[in-house]
Amino acid sequence: MLGAGIVEKSTVAIVEAANKFQNERWSDSTVQKSNSLDWKGGKIVARVRVNGKSTWRSTKTDNPAEARKWLKKWRSEEWMEENGFEAKGVVLHRARVTVGELVAAYIQAGMPTRKMRQKSPFTVKNEKYFLNPVVAYFGQMSAAALTVVDCDKYLEWRTSGGYVAKFTVRGKPQTMQTRGGKRAVDLELVVLGNALNLAVRRAVLSSNPLAGRGRYTSSSEVRHCREVAPTPEGLVKIETWLRGRNENSVADIVCFLAYSGLRIGEALALEWEAVDQSGKLLHVKREKRGITPWVPILNEMEALLNAMKKRKTSYLLFPSPFDPSKPADASAIRRRLRATCVALDLGHVAPHGLRSYFVTQARESGLSDADIAMLIGDKTGPQIIAQTYGDVRDDHLVRQAQRIRLTATQPSPAGTEPSSIESSITVPDVSASFPSP
């Protein structure tokens, strides 16, 4: 009994000593009255305001003196934020964040627009492609320290072939030294600017260091797709040469693009079930948020589709020669088309030039620019037909010039036809038999 009493008295003494020690640690009356510090899980927490809301933040210490220092620091930061001053840590972080980190955050966020809206999958795919050389050059640089001089140096690096692209062909890694002109550099820097603007929106950067950067290209230097379009005679030569070398798949896609006005990405993704020959329609999924999700099957297109159906090897219209379950590679089509033009001593023809070929043929056939804009699925309207896609060939222009009457007494020759090119800003009357967009 005596031993038990001694143990009980010892326990009481220990508890009293602990309470006395705790009271001594919290002897500062100002802290007790403010209720700004408290215990939680053996550590001291401080009451602070984060984004305007009162909350508790752990000081990660059990020393009241250190906890008071943390509280003082956090309250100082609150005051600086309320009065427009930035904390030293924030400034240091902004100075250290690299372009590569901002680009990674931009991609992870889904590469939104400046109004935080989602972009089309086609645009996202292109922007990722443009960011590859940007990260290779700017990746380790401080984002806040970028200047226009860095952009000039980047232009020199790209035009000199400084970027080495890495890709895979049929499972084998490949490298290729590439050159980018002024147009490509402008597009790449625009995407970099998008990533920097997102960082500004998230308060990672105080401002976009490349804001107000001028473009390296002018409108007069931009090569439009009509400049890489073939003539009707040139298209026949290209098709004949390719089929003579048994490259029917390449000849098919070249003619298909010329007869439909589709982009190459829109065409390569098509399946045979999208072909409605009874309704004379080809159902397509437009890129770049296009409109009119169908293409009329004209006589030339119908003949081409019938010939393609006899050589059909896949559910795809244009399967890869190495894997019928995948579409053909657009880069391979471009290379073969380029090689064909060189062999035939023709001017350079690009897949997008075949889209312009369709537009030009439609204009010379008498369709209005508004009609054509709807047919190729471009929501911009007739303006882009006249400025970018449309063209008037010399032979057609000469025929139109023969219709000019210079005197009032001279009779009009028999058989003259009205103008075959009309410009209109009205939306054409689309027949109800066609499916709506």
Side-chain angles (χ1 to χ4, degrees), residues 10-262:
S10 299
T11 303
V12 171
I14 292 172
V15 171
E16 290 178 351
N19 292 335
K20 181 179 179 182
F21 176 73
Q22 196 80 302
N23 292 332
E24 289 176 352
R25 298 183 77 182
W26 293 101
S27 60
D28 190 339
S29 60
T30 58
V31 173
Q32 292 176 351
K33 291 179 180 179
S34 64
N35 294 324
S36 298
L37 297 174
D38 202 349
W39 285 91
K40 186 175 182 180
K43 300 293 181 182
I44 302 174
V45 293
R47 180 173 289 279
V48 294
R49 299 188 71 84
V50 178
N51 295 328
K53 295 182 179 180
S54 179
T55 185
W56 289 98
R57 177 182 288 181
S58 175
T59 63
K60 298 182 180 180
T61 181
D62 57 359
N63 189 323
E66 293 182 5
R68 294 188 193 96
K69 291 180 180 179
W70 278 110
L71 178 62
K72 182 179 180 181
K73 176 180 179 297
W74 288 333
R75 286 186 172 176
S76 176
E77 290 177 354
E78 290 177 18
W79 180 88
M80 293 176 68
E81 184 177 351
E82 291 175 358
N83 292 273
F85 297 97
E86 292 185 337
K88 184 178 180 181
V90 175
V91 176
L92 289 175
H93 174 71
R94 287 178 175 171
R96 292 172 182 171
V97 66
T98 64
V99 173
E101 293 172 342
L102 296 185
V103 168
Y106 177 62
I107 295 175
Q108 186 177 8
M111 310 176 82
T113 66
R114 299 192 180 189
K115 295 183 179 180
M116 299 305 293
R117 296 177 182 175
Q118 187 177 6
K119 295 175 182 173
S120 68
F122 178 76
T123 302
V124 170
K125 179 182 177 181
N126 280 347
E127 287 202 0
K128 287 182 179 179
Y129 175 78
F130 292 144
L131 283 173
N132 289 331
V134 167
V135 173
Y137 185 83
F138 293 105
Q140 300 303 317
M141 293 186 183
S142 170
L146 290 179
T147 64
V148 178
V149 175
D150 296 319
C151 298
D152 296 339
K153 293 179 180 178
Y154 176 70
L155 175 63
E156 295 176 3
W157 178 74
R158 287 288 279 128
T159 54
S160 65
Y163 175 61
V164 178
K166 298 179 181 180
F167 53 95
T168 302
V169 177
R170 295 190 291 278
K172 297 181 180 180
Q174 305 286 335
T175 59
M176 183 175 64
Q177 188 178 21
T178 63
R179 297 175 184 271
K182 292 181 179 179
R183 173 65 173 167
V185 169
D186 276 335
L187 292 173
E188 291 158 5
L189 291 177
V190 165
V191 181
L192 173 59
N194 294 340
L196 296 175
N197 281 321
L198 179 63
V200 173
R201 189 181 186 95
R202 291 180 168 182
V204 179
L205 294 179
S206 58
S207 62
N208 184 346
L210 300 183
R213 179 192 67 85
R215 300 294 180 93
Y216 293 113
T217 54
S218 62
S219 57
S220 61
E221 296 175 331
V222 175
R223 184 174 65 177
H224 295 291
C225 55
R226 60 174 177 264
E227 299 175 43
V228 289
T231 62
E233 296 77 16
L235 181 63
V236 172
K237 290 181 180 180
I238 292 172
E239 181 187 8
T240 303
W241 192 84
L242 288 170
R243 297 200 188 282
R245 296 173 58 87
N246 201 30
E247 297 187 58
N248 288 314
S249 59
V250 181
D252 289 342
I253 184 62
V254 169
C255 293
F256 188 88
L257 294 175
Y259 299 161
S260 64
L262 290 173

Side-chain angles (χ1 to χ4, degrees), residues 205-380:
L205 294 179
S206 58
S207 62
N208 184 346
L210 300 183
R213 179 192 67 85
R215 300 294 180 93
Y216 293 113
T217 54
S218 62
S219 57
S220 61
E221 296 175 331
V222 175
R223 184 174 65 177
H224 295 291
C225 55
R226 60 174 177 264
E227 299 175 43
V228 289
T231 62
E233 296 77 16
L235 181 63
V236 172
K237 290 181 180 180
I238 292 172
E239 181 187 8
T240 303
W241 192 84
L242 288 170
R243 297 200 188 282
R245 296 173 58 87
N246 201 30
E247 297 187 58
N248 288 314
S249 59
V250 181
D252 289 342
I253 184 62
V254 169
C255 293
F256 188 88
L257 294 175
Y259 299 161
S260 64
L262 290 173
R263 297 180 176 89
I264 189 170
E266 297 169 342
L268 294 180
L270 287 174
E271 303 176 3
W272 278 103
E273 65 179 16
V275 180
D276 180 12
Q277 287 190 296
S278 60
K280 299 286 185 179
L281 290 176
L282 189 66
H283 300 279
V284 300
K285 184 177 181 180
R286 301 285 186 179
E287 294 177 344
K288 299 179 70 173
R289 296 177 179 172
I291 57 175
T292 317
W294 50 263
V295 172
I297 298 179
L298 305 178
N299 295 334
E300 295 83 355
M301 175 66 81
E302 186 172 17
L304 175 65
L305 290 172
N306 290 334
M308 290 171 56
K309 192 173 292 185
K310 296 178 181 178
R311 301 187 298 271
K312 178 181 175 183
T313 60
S314 169
Y315 67 96
L316 295 167
L317 263 70
F318 308 104
S320 168
F322 307 101
D323 187 354
S325 64
K326 296 181 180 179
D329 181 55
S331 298
I333 301 297
R334 291 188 180 94
R335 287 194 297 269
R336 293 308 303 149
L337 183 55
R338 186 186 308 114
T340 302
C341 294
V342 172
L344 295 174
D345 196 23
L346 296 175
H348 178 59
V349 175
H352 212 59
L354 298 170
R355 181 173 170 90
S356 176
Y357 173 90
F358 177 86
V359 170
T360 300
Q361 291 298 110
R363 295 186 92 202
E364 293 190 355
S365 298
L367 276 71
S368 71
D369 289 350
D371 295 333
I372 302 170
M374 295 286 286
L375 283 176
I376 66 172
D378 200 312
K379 66 179 181 180
T380 308

